[in-house]
Amino acid sequence: MDKNWWDYQVPLDCSWYWKRLVAVKDAFKAKTDLSKFAVMSWSKIVWERLSIPKHRFVLWLVMLQRLRTRDQLHKFQPLMDQSCLLCGGDIESIGHLFLHCHYSSVCLQKLKQRLGWNSASLNLMLLIRWIHKAKRLSVVRKSIMYAVLAALVYHLWRVRNDVFWSNKLWHVDNTVQRVVREIQVRISLVMPKKAKAIDREWVTKFSKS
Ligand SMILES: [Zn+2]
């Protein structure tokens, strides 16, 4: 599905969430000249091989400021409550959800601990740039760190939507576990065979529950 994401058709038996995501993709495709996006500077980051297509897509929408957070919805529905569905403390915006919200920042912190990542930043774009510029990290580690960030963004948006539609808030540990599990499966599928032992050990440490 990696290569054919833009032509992907939704199967009848998939979840409502996946159907909505594919519908957003179709609407986006209809309005956009995709060839222009291939040359954008962050496209390489978004299309990193290790990250999962649905994760990359949501990360892409975040970078384009295209997710309909409550601050956006408020412009069309002035009576709508704008507070964050995850923490209730701030206005829900893309910047807040990714990753300044208390809920998001706790998830991020737990994932950073697993990755042995000392950066204190809660700014998604700065974190992506940090990985990009880090000189001492191997390509394997960088790819996994990008993939983890993309997975976190995807799952935070999913958690947020579960509160929005079902009024159910997942515990942060469940959200972190979902990210770790999906990355584990992905790594087992696409991890380069020549990856160094030190990177393999690091991956094992990340995957430990
Ligand atoms: Zn919040």
Side-chain angles (χ1 to χ4, degrees), residues 135-151:
K135 290 198 173 107
R136 290 187 186 171
L137 293 179
S138 67
V139 173
V140 171
R141 284 199 199 195
K142 285 188 177 197
S143 297
I144 293 171
M145 287 163 89
Y146 284 137
V148 168
L149 277 186

Side-chain angles (χ1 to χ4, degrees), residues 11-161:
L12 289 173
D13 59 348
C14 70
S15 70
W16 67 269
Y17 179 78
W18 186 242
K19 279 180 189 153
R20 283 178 62 86
L21 195 59
V22 175
V24 171
K25 181 268 289 181
D26 287 340
F28 189 78
K29 184 185 168 189
K31 279 194 263 173
T32 311
D33 177 0
L34 294 176
S35 62
K36 283 183 185 163
F37 285 92
V39 296
M40 291 180 87
S41 60
W42 44 259
S43 63
K44 190 178 170 296
I45 292 163
V46 176
W47 303 125
E48 274 289 338
R49 190 164 154 259
L50 256 164
S51 59
I52 297 167
K54 63 186 179 183
H55 297 172
R56 290 192 297 234
F57 182 64
V58 174
L59 179 61
W60 196 10
L61 293 176
V62 167
M63 286 170 154
L64 293 171
Q65 304 274 313
R66 291 289 188 114
L67 283 188
R68 288 196 180 168
T69 42
R70 294 179 105 187
D71 62 329
Q72 296 294 322
L73 296 172
H74 180 77
K75 290 175 188 167
F76 307 103
Q77 301 170 46
L79 295 177
M80 186 176 192
D81 182 3
Q82 293 186 77
S83 59
C84 173
L85 290 158
L86 301 186
C87 70
D90 261 303
I91 290 176
E92 186 194 84
S93 64
I94 285 182
H96 173 74
L97 269 181
F98 312 109
L99 301 151
H100 287 90
C101 174
H102 179 69
Y103 184 100
S104 311
S105 67
V106 172
C107 292
L108 176 67
Q109 193 51 39
K110 286 174 182 270
L111 289 166
K112 278 182 179 171
Q113 276 170 7
R114 285 170 172 269
L115 292 165
W117 190 0
N118 291 323
S119 164
S121 177
L122 297 176
N123 181 306
L124 180 63
M125 297 304 155
L126 288 182
L127 288 168
I128 287 173
R129 208 175 303 156
W130 188 96
I131 302 170
H132 184 63
K133 288 189 171 175
K135 290 198 173 107
R136 290 187 186 171
L137 293 179
S138 67
V139 173
V140 171
R141 284 199 199 195
K142 285 188 177 197
S143 297
I144 293 171
M145 287 163 89
Y146 284 137
V148 168
L149 277 186
L152 175 61
V153 165
Y154 172 88
H155 281 288
L156 286 173
W157 185 239
R158 189 170 181 173
V159 168
R160 177 266 183 208
N161 284 333

Side-chain angles (χ1 to χ4, degrees), residues 180-191:
V180 171
R181 242 179 283 132
E182 282 202 318
I183 296 295
Q184 267 178 317
V185 172
R186 188 67 173 174
I187 288 172
S188 67
L189 290 173
V190 299
M191 179 93 162

